Amino acid sequence: MKKPLLGGTAAALALATPAAAQDGVPGPDDDPFIWLEDARSDEALAWVSAENEKTEAALFTDPRFEELRKDAYDILTADDRVPGVSIWPQGLMNFWQDDENPKGLVRFTTMESYRTDDPDWDVVLDIDALAKAEGREWVYRGLNCLPPERKYCLLALSDGGKDASELREFDLEKREFVEGGFFFPEGLGSVQWIDKDTVIVTRDWGDGTLTESEYPYVSKILKRGQSLDQATEIFRGEPTDVSAGASIVRDGDYVIQGRMASRGLNFHEREYYWEVDGNWVKLDIPTKANPAGIVDGQMLLSLDVPWESGGVTYPADALLSTDLEAFKANPNGVTWEPVWLPADRQTRRGANSTAGSMYVGVLDNVRGRVYKYNYVDGAWVKKQLPLPDNATLSIGSASDVTDEVLLYSTDFLNPTTTWFYNGETDQLEQLKQQPERFDADGYVIEQMEATSADGSKIPYFVVRAEDTVMDGSTPTLLTGYGGFQVSRVPAYLGSTGKLWLERGGAYVLGNMRGGGEFGPEWHQTAIRENKQRTWDDFIAIAQEVVDRGLTSPDHLGISGGSQGGLLVGTAFTQRPDLFDAAIVAIPLFDMLRYHEIGRGASWIGEYGDPRIPEQREWIEPYSPYQKLVPGAQFPKVLYVTSTADDRTHPSHGRKAAAKMDANGQPYLYYEDMVGGHSGGNDPEQQAKLLALRYTYLMQQLMD
C-alpha cells in the first residue's frame, strides 16, 4: 500500500502570449500604459522607483510603521517558534529562516530530540551560504528525492522568488552537489525520478514545446550522462493545452505499476491516459476528475462533477476506488466503488497515506475532520481521529515505512498544534504547540451568513473584541479569495492579531462562491459566465457587517492577493461607497488583456476568453481596469506587486496605479524587486510588507 498521490505537470498552472489587439480586445494603441507590461524595461523600472519613493514617504515615515515592522519581524524570527517538520527516512526535516539565516537552512533532527524544548539540529544545506558563494538571490523551493531512501535529490532554486526554478542534483548523504549530475536550467515543468540514473522530464525543450500558456507539454526520459537533446520522447500533448506531461505511478512498496499522462484542456479540465502495451489509452472518466493514487492495491479516483458508473451516479467530490490489477489490464473496463461520499456542506480537504493507512481530511461547514481508511477484506474501513472539534485540521507529512503521520489543528485565536498519530498503536500525541503571538483574551469568533444578490446564503467569519460596541466605529479588515476551488479556512491570526486586533481592529474572512469551502459545486457555480457571483458575495458580506453595526464604510477596508486582488478590485470599483481602504496585492486587474499578460491564458477556464465576443460580454462588466474612468470617486487604493512575479505579472497593478494617477484619483503603489508571486522571500522583506499594509490600513480606517 502506499502514498503516491499522483504528481506531474498539473501541480503548477498559469501564461503569456504577445501583446496584440485580437477580436476587439484593446491593443497597444488603446492602452496608454501598455509599456508598463515590460517588467524590466528602464522606463518601467524608473516609474516603479518614483512610485516607491512616494509610497515610502507616505507610509514608512509614519511612526507606526517601524513599530509594526519590528513586531512583525520579532514574530517571524522568534526563537521560540515551533519548527515545522516532515517525516523523512533521515529523520524529521525542517526548513528554517531567522535573522541570521534569512534565506534558510535545510536541517534534520530525530523524533526523540524534536520532542524536547531544544532539539539538536543537523544542517545539511545552507541557502544563505550558497547564495553568497554564487552571487545569486536564491530562494529555496524544495528537494525532490528518489523514494524510498531519498538519497538522490534535485534541489530547486528560484532566482528572486520566481515560479521558474533551476534544478541541480544534490547527494543528501554526502551533503554535496553531484559532480556531473542531473542539471536543469531555469524553467517551469516537472522532473520525476524513475531510478537513480533515470528521470522523466517535462520542460521547455526548445521551439514549439511550450503551450500557449507557456507551460511545457512534452515529456521525455533522460538518462544520467545524457544531454537534454539526447532525451527520448514518451508523451506529447497539444500546444493548445494549458499543460501536459507524463509520470510514473508507484505502489506502496515503491514498485512502478505503470505510466500515467495527462493533458490540461483548461485550468479545471484534464484528460488522462494510461499506458497499456506501449500505447496511451485515454481514460473514460470525466475531464473534471483525476486519478488520486494507489492505496492497498486499490487505484483511487477523485471526482469534481457527478458521474454515472456501473449504473450508479456518484456526486461531485466523491472518492472512488477500483482494483489496481484490473485497472492495469483494462483501465476502462473496471467497476468503481465509493470510498467517501460528501454530505451536505462537506468537502474533502487534503489526503496522505502512510505505509499502513490512508488519511483523508474533510471540511464540515468549514470545520475540520480527519479520517483513517484501510482496505480490509474487500471493503473500506473508516475511523475518525480524535482531534479537536471546531478547529481547522490539516494532514501533514506521512511516513514511507511506518503507519505514522503528522497532523495540525488551529483556529483564529488558538496557535497551531502539531499532533503525531501512530496508526499501528492508535495513539495520538500532542507533539508541539506554537506560542501565542497576541493576547486573545476577550476576543470572540462568530460564523455568520450574508444574503447575496441572488438570495444565496454566504458564510463568513468575524473575529472581534467581545465588548465591541456595534455603532459602526470598529476599524474592520475584510479579506477572501473566492476562486479556483481554493478554500479559505480559519487559521491562527499571529501577525494579524498583533498588528491589527490588538490595536483595535476586527477581522472578517469571507467564504464566497468560487472557492472550495463546500466542494467542487461551490466553485463551479461561480466561474466564467457566473463569476460576478463571487464579487456579489463579497460585497454582500461587506454590506452585512456594515448593516450589523460592526463597522461603517469610513472604517471598512478590504484586502486580497492574486485572484483575491481581482476580488478587491471588483469590490472597490463596483461599490466605491462601501470602503475606505483597499489593498490590491499581486493582482489580476486588466481582465480584457489578462490572457496576454504573465500566464493569464491558463486561467481562461476560470474567467473565460475575452477574445471571444460572447465571453468578453461576461468579463467586461466587471474588469476593474476598465472601470477606472475619469471623474469616478474611489477609496485611496494601495497596490502591492513584485518585479519577480512571473505568474500574474506586476503590470496589472502598475497599469491600474498609472491610470488612477492620470485620472487624479488617490492611490499608493509599492513594488518589490524580489519576492515573486508569493511575496516576501525572507523575514525582513515579509515584515516590511506587513508593516506597509497595516500602516496604510491604520491611516485610512483609524485616523
Side-chain angles (χ1 to χ4, degrees):
M1 122 101 242
K2 189 55 203 167
K3 70 168 44 171
L5 300 173
L6 296 177
T9 59
L13 298 177
L15 112 117
T17 53
Q22 298 182 32
D23 298 326
V25 179
D29 293 339
D30 302 306
D31 187 349
F33 307 110
I34 197 81
W35 54 276
L36 288 168
E37 292 183 10
D38 188 343
R40 297 182 183 272
S41 73
D42 291 342
E43 186 180 16
L45 292 180
W47 179 90
V48 168
S49 179
E51 291 296 321
N52 283 355
E53 287 182 9
K54 289 189 289 185
T55 299
E56 291 171 2
L59 299 179
F60 288 22
T61 59
D62 187 315
R64 291 170 296 194
F65 175 85
E66 182 54 30
E67 296 173 7
L68 293 164
R69 190 208 62 78
K70 184 178 184 305
D71 283 347
Y73 187 78
D74 288 347
I75 290 173
L76 294 168
T77 61
D79 291 337
D80 61 353
R81 282 176 295 148
V82 173
V85 293
S86 56
I87 302 173
W88 283 53
Q90 293 85 353
L92 298 180
M93 194 269 270
N94 164 253
F95 179 67
W96 181 259
Q97 293 174 293
D98 56 25
D99 54 352
E100 294 183 2
N101 306 280
K103 297 189 183 300
L105 303 171
V106 179
R107 57 187 192 170
F108 286 87
T109 191
T110 64
M111 177 63 79
E112 181 181 5
S113 181
Y114 188 67
R115 286 189 172 100
T116 69
D117 292 335
D118 187 20
D120 182 20
W121 293 100
D122 180 17
V123 175
V124 299
L125 187 59
D126 184 332
I127 305 299
D128 292 270
L130 179 65
K132 182 178 180 180
E134 298 184 351
R136 303 291 293 276
E137 191 64 36
W138 286 133
V139 177
Y140 175 71
R141 291 298 192 216
L143 284 168
N144 170 11
C145 304
L146 174 64
E149 296 87 358
R150 299 195 190 185
K151 167 180 167 23
Y152 304 97
C153 301
L154 290 171
L155 171 67
L157 296 168
S158 164
D159 189 1
K162 293 183 287 187
D163 285 355
S165 294
E166 173 182 298
L167 301 178
R168 58 175 82 169
E169 189 173 359
F170 185 79
D171 188 316
L172 199 56
E173 288 185 2
K174 295 180 179 179
R175 305 181 188 187
E176 62 185 25
F177 291 107
V178 177
E179 185 175 354
F182 288 114
F183 173 81
F184 302 95
E186 179 181 273
L188 297 172
S190 65
V191 179
Q192 184 183 24
W193 292 93
I194 296 176
D195 55 45
K196 69 181 184 65
D197 296 315
T198 317
V199 291
I200 293 180
V201 184
T202 306
R203 61 168 287 113
D204 181 359
W205 299 98
D207 291 344
T209 61
L210 291 182
T211 67
E212 294 175 358
S213 300
E214 294 193 346
Y215 284 99
Y217 68 94
V218 177
S219 294
K220 300 184 180 184
I221 288 182
L222 183 70
K223 295 283 188 178
R224 184 177 299 279
Q226 289 183 327
S227 60
L228 291 177
D229 60 5
Q230 294 176 308
T232 303
E233 182 173 322
I234 59 169
F235 183 79
R236 176 179 290 258
E238 298 291 338
T240 53
D241 296 339
V242 171
S243 64
S247 62
I248 58 169
V249 181
R250 302 179 191 269
D251 64 15
D253 296 321
Y254 294 101
V255 175
I256 296 174
Q257 294 293 333
R259 292 178 182 171
M260 185 82 73
S262 70
R263 292 178 51 212
L265 308 182
N266 58 50
F267 194 92
H268 303 298
E269 296 182 273
R270 300 190 77 83
E271 290 181 349
Y272 285 88
Y273 301 80
W274 183 260
E275 189 180 40
V276 180
D277 297 328
N279 298 310
W280 291 107
V281 176
K282 180 182 173 183
L283 299 187
D284 185 17
I285 60 175
T287 56
K288 290 186 177 180
N290 62 281
I294 298 173
V295 175
D296 284 342
Q298 296 287 298
M299 175 65 78
L300 299 172
L301 179 69
S302 175
L303 300 180
D304 274 352
V305 290
W307 184 46
E308 190 276 329
S309 177
V312 179
T313 299
Y314 296 104
D317 216 20
L319 183 65
L320 311 178
S321 72
T322 194
D323 180 75
L324 172 63
E325 292 303 319
F327 177 89
K328 288 165 58 178
N330 183 8
N332 291 325
V334 297
T335 300
W336 295 93
E337 303 289 344
V339 180
W340 179 85
L341 301 176
D344 185 47
R345 293 222 157 187
Q346 283 188 339
T347 185
R348 281 181 290 118
R349 181 175 182 264
N352 208 339
S353 58
T354 65
S357 304
M358 176 174 66
Y359 295 84
V360 177
V362 173
L363 279 180
D364 189 343
N365 198 25
V366 203
R367 301 294 186 181
R369 306 284 184 268
V370 174
Y371 297 95
K372 172 186 176 182
Y373 283 86
N374 296 99
Y375 194 72
V376 181
D377 296 330
W380 288 99
V381 178
K382 180 178 76 171
K383 171 186 174 62
Q384 182 175 343
L385 301 191
L387 291 158
D389 291 327
N390 299 318
T392 297
L393 304 178
S394 55
I395 301 168
S397 176
S399 172
D400 295 332
V401 294
T402 63
D403 191 3
E404 297 174 329
V405 63
L406 296 173
L407 307 148
Y408 304 94
S409 65
T410 188
D411 63 32
F412 292 119
L413 301 179
N414 290 290
T416 300
T417 298
T418 302
W419 303 85
F420 175 63
Y421 179 70
N422 187 324
E424 297 170 358
T425 62
D426 193 28
Q427 291 182 327
L428 181 68
E429 173 189 355
Q430 181 175 325
L431 198 57
K432 296 279 186 179
Q433 185 175 42
Q434 293 283 359
E436 294 183 351
R437 298 306 179 195
F438 68 100
D439 185 358
D441 289 343
Y443 288 91
V444 295
I445 303 170
E446 301 171 306
Q447 188 176 25
M448 318 287 285
E449 283 188 336
T451 303
S452 195
D454 63 359
S456 298
K457 299 298 182 181
I458 310 302
Y460 66 96
F461 290 95
V462 176
V463 184
R464 62 172 178 84
E466 191 173 15
D467 59 358
T468 298
V469 178
M470 295 296 184
D471 62 356
S473 64
T474 304
T476 299
L477 172 62
L478 165 62
T479 187
Y481 192 77
F484 298 94
Q485 204 173 319
V486 172
S487 300
R488 287 290 307 274
V489 296
Y492 185 56
L493 297 174
S495 57
T496 298
K498 185 67 177 177
L499 277 59
W500 183 247
L501 295 180
E502 280 194 355
R503 288 169 166 84
Y507 177 85
V508 180
L509 173 65
N511 298 130
M512 295 76 62
R513 288 172 291 181
E517 292 86 354
F518 301 108
E521 292 179 339
W522 189 251
H523 165 244
Q524 292 165 17
T525 192
I527 63 173
R528 294 171 65 80
E529 67 267 32
N530 295 316
K531 194 61 195 173
Q532 178 63 38
R533 290 175 178 171
T534 302
W535 326 139
D536 288 343
D537 294 354
F538 193 62
I539 290 169
I541 295 169
Q543 188 66 61
E544 170 80 3
V545 297
V546 169
D547 292 345
R548 288 182 56 232
L550 173 64
T551 191
S552 61
D554 286 344
H555 299 290
L556 177 58
I558 49 180
S559 177
S562 194
Q563 145 72 24
L566 174 60
L567 174 74
V568 171
T570 59
F572 87 76
T573 54
Q574 293 183 26
R575 285 294 308 274
D577 60 305
L578 195 50
F579 315 102
D580 202 36
I583 300 175
V584 180
I586 52 173
L588 287 164
F589 209 84
D590 183 354
M591 296 304 291
L592 298 187
R593 278 186 53 78
Y594 84 96
H595 60 290
E596 303 277 358
I597 304 171
R599 300 198 187 96
S602 62
W603 308 316
I604 284 172
E606 181 81 8
Y607 304 113
D609 189 339
R611 294 167 293 190
I612 300 173
E614 176 191 1
Q615 298 184 22
R616 179 188 168 108
E617 290 181 5
W618 311 336
I619 302 167
E620 190 167 15
Y622 70 72
S623 181
Y625 185 62
Q626 283 70 34
K627 299 295 176 288
L628 301 178
V629 297
Q633 294 188 355
F634 301 113
K636 186 177 184 179
V637 182
L638 171 62
Y639 297 96
V640 182
T641 70
S642 168
T643 313
D645 184 357
D646 56 348
R647 194 180 310 178
T648 59
H649 199 278
S651 64
H652 281 281
R654 289 177 179 181
K655 296 201 305 177
K659 196 171 186 182
M660 293 187 81
D661 186 29
N663 293 341
Q665 293 153 341
Y667 74 93
L668 292 170
Y669 180 87
Y670 191 78
E671 179 176 324
D672 254 344
M673 289 294 292
V674 295
H677 191 66
S678 59
N681 290 336
D682 56 50
E684 183 176 354
Q685 186 185 23
Q686 294 163 12
K688 178 188 67 176
L689 292 174
L690 285 168
L692 173 86
R693 298 180 187 202
Y694 285 107
T695 301
Y696 160 79
L697 289 171
M698 290 176 183
Q699 288 184 357
Q700 293 298 115
L701 306 180
M702 292 182 175
D703 291 352

